[in-house]
Amino acid sequence: METASLRIQEDRIIEQIKRRIPSAEAGDLRLGIGDDAAVIRTRRGEWVVTCDQFLENVHFVATRQPADSVGYKALTRATSDVFAMGGRPRFFLLSMALPASRTGRWLEQMISGMARAARDFGLRLAGGDTARVERDISLNITVIGEIETGWVIGRAGARAGDGIYVTGRLGGAELGLRLLNRNGTMRARDRALLRPHFYPRLPVEFALWLGRKRMASAMMDISDGLSTDLSRLCARSRVAARIYARRIPKVSVPKALRNDPKFDPLTLALHGGEDYGLLFTAAPRHAKQIPARLGGTQVHCIGEIIAGSGVMMVEEDGTARELRPAGWDHFAVHSRRGER
Amino acid sequence: METASLRIQEDRIIEQIKRRIPSAEAGDLRLGIGDDAAVIRTRRGEWVVTCDQFLENVHFVATRQPADSVGYKALTRATSDVFAMGGRPRFFLLSMALPASRTGRWLEQMISGMARAARDFGLRLAGGDTARVERDISLNITVIGEIETGWVIGRAGARAGDGIYVTGRLGGAELGLRLLNRNGTMRARDRALLRPHFYPRLPVEFALWLGRKRMASAMMDISDGLSTDLSRLCARSRVAARIYARRIPKVSVPKALRNDPKFDPLTLALHGGEDYGLLFTAAPRHAKQIPARLGGTQVHCIGEIIAGSGVMMVEEDGTARELRPAGWDHFAVHSRRGER
């Protein structure tokens, strides 16, 4: 979750480091650039590793977010990248930098939320580091996952004819964020709508199933919004996508909000980030084997991969238009930063 | 590198997490508490993993430290923990949070220093995460090292009769830090004395040798000062130590500084932190096999493990006194924080 310019800069920085670091031992490491996580290949098999920061006033506002949600979400974000590669999360390391004011009750609740996520994902803590800082909580999490050798699911394998699938409903986290950022007091019944933003649910059982079945030709998690992430998958696979607006599983928006264009369900579903569902493609021969529901996770086929480049969306009325990436890093971050 | 209270709190926090996280699968994970790193045991062999933060205005002052040194030292600190377990460093992950002012030339130089350390240690970058923050550079590094199953060298194996060894000279990093923190301009000839603080050298070749030979009964790195770290090793092994002041390889202090008690070589060597040499013990039968020098690293036997508890030091004049832990986390941090 970062601005486009910073993402480009990150790629530049990592390229810079790669150039400066001694030549690669062929085949034992695939960098996480352009994929969700890195794959370490050794004679002992393969591991999926990823690290992710969750920073106060960059990724969350501590005064507006329950402490247990900070812990839950920090571990969820990092673990999502391991599931998205087809890996099975095993261990995590936690570095924390905390102001003194966050070492008491806040910390206990944060840990409680993180422990719940660890249970949900089958993760065990393998180490940590703690420092005290003047301000701004900083959590940094490394997740290590196992994977059978050669079974990694990257972003580059989508082929024309493959179906495009997503898990869960899209736009719920964005709806929660927008409600949170509205001025004024929140109605009690709207509080439940914050849950997808505070406690995003990973499709654990389905992700493990997919990791075992080897049906996905390409996969990633939806962290920056469908329009952005599907564009990335297509670019990496050198293909195009055609999706259907009516097939997209959209967040359910309360009636009272539906007239406000900020709460249009399709817009939220297309461009809202942080749902952490899976986006994957699969060859037509697998279409019937992919369950519509597994372990509480709904799976929807929203379109198909075609030759070319870019993402085309067929509207409810049947007209087709190009869908431009408009998720987190292309527009939303500026207004969000301001709102926060 | 942290205060005693924070260290205790860290242990409490990790205990708290351990209690809340589902019960351990027996034998597959040893937490890094009380050791330098954690050991992951799987059917695919063992891995040593550790993470370490290097934070502006906590661990370094960006205006006083060359950017390449920040990168070099950040990776050195983290990697030292892998060597200290007998592991062979293989991969690292880097999370950075940077203010905009540090994304240009400063960043290039920081990366250059980190790349040099990676070459020195045989490490390859396996992933990363980047975020922009308002202030205060934050680097978080995870290092993954390989180790033969069952070959981990912890802190708990020292036995009465074992020799106590250290690598390198002690106190050089502390001397550099104290010179850096002195008011007034620095004499040109003193600048070279900052090197051990800016670019601590790890005993790479010797560490790998020791990892292969399995001669060390206990080992750790000296990050918080000999008096503190040897006390920890003894406490974990439930033994005592007797060391000899004349045998301790002390930093060489320029004549002009020697009358200042802040620059007493023995005090610097006993209590100064961040040298990142190895402290290890070995049974008497190995004494002759341990080289006095390997790959540019000097190795000194400074005393022996005895029954009991605590650390006894025999002074130059032959009198013995108890050596209390007085390294980083027991006294220095308070004055240092102030100075910084």
Short mmCIF file of all heavy atoms in Angstrom, two decimals, chain B residues 87 107 172 179 190 254 285 306 340:
data_model
loop_
_atom_site.label_atom_id
_atom_site.label_comp_id
_atom_site.label_asym_id
_atom_site.label_seq_id
_atom_site.Cartn_x
_atom_site.Cartn_y
_atom_site.Cartn_z
N GLY B 87 25.26 -20.31 12.47
CA GLY B 87 24.60 -20.40 11.17
C GLY B 87 25.40 -19.75 10.05
O GLY B 87 26.33 -18.98 10.29
N LEU B 107 19.92 7.67 0.23
CA LEU B 107 19.49 6.28 0.04
C LEU B 107 20.49 5.50 -0.81
O LEU B 107 20.81 4.35 -0.50
CB LEU B 107 18.10 6.27 -0.63
CG LEU B 107 17.51 4.90 -0.93
CD1 LEU B 107 17.37 4.07 0.34
CD2 LEU B 107 16.16 5.04 -1.62
N GLY B 172 36.40 -0.86 20.83
CA GLY B 172 36.63 0.06 19.71
C GLY B 172 35.38 0.82 19.30
O GLY B 172 35.43 2.02 19.02
N LEU B 179 33.94 9.42 21.14
CA LEU B 179 34.56 10.51 20.39
C LEU B 179 33.50 11.28 19.60
O LEU B 179 33.51 12.51 19.54
CB LEU B 179 35.62 9.97 19.43
CG LEU B 179 36.93 9.54 20.08
CD1 LEU B 179 37.81 8.80 19.08
CD2 LEU B 179 37.67 10.74 20.66
N ASP B 190 41.67 11.53 14.67
CA ASP B 190 40.68 10.79 15.46
C ASP B 190 39.59 10.17 14.60
O ASP B 190 38.86 9.27 15.03
CB ASP B 190 40.05 11.69 16.52
CG ASP B 190 41.01 11.97 17.67
OD1 ASP B 190 42.09 11.33 17.71
OD2 ASP B 190 40.69 12.81 18.51
N PRO B 254 44.52 6.39 21.84
CA PRO B 254 45.62 7.35 21.62
C PRO B 254 46.08 7.97 22.93
O PRO B 254 45.26 8.20 23.84
CB PRO B 254 45.00 8.42 20.72
CG PRO B 254 43.79 7.79 20.12
CD PRO B 254 43.32 6.75 21.09
N ARG B 285 39.78 -29.75 25.83
CA ARG B 285 40.37 -30.62 24.80
C ARG B 285 40.46 -29.93 23.44
O ARG B 285 41.20 -30.36 22.56
CB ARG B 285 39.58 -31.93 24.68
CG ARG B 285 38.19 -31.78 24.10
CD ARG B 285 37.50 -33.14 24.00
NE ARG B 285 36.17 -33.02 23.38
CZ ARG B 285 35.08 -32.59 24.00
NH1 ARG B 285 35.12 -32.26 25.28
NH2 ARG B 285 33.92 -32.51 23.35
N ILE B 306 33.71 -21.50 35.54
CA ILE B 306 33.80 -22.20 36.81
C ILE B 306 32.39 -22.45 37.35
O ILE B 306 31.42 -21.91 36.81
CB ILE B 306 34.63 -21.39 37.85
CG1 ILE B 306 34.05 -19.98 38.02
CG2 ILE B 306 36.10 -21.33 37.43
CD1 ILE B 306 34.81 -19.11 39.03
N ARG B 340 22.97 12.12 22.82
CA ARG B 340 22.49 12.17 21.46
C ARG B 340 21.40 13.21 21.33
O ARG B 340 20.79 13.39 20.35
CB ARG B 340 21.96 10.79 21.03
CG ARG B 340 23.08 9.83 20.80
CD ARG B 340 22.55 8.47 20.46
NE ARG B 340 23.65 7.52 20.33
CZ ARG B 340 23.51 6.30 19.86
NH1 ARG B 340 22.34 5.89 19.46
NH2 ARG B 340 24.54 5.49 19.78
#
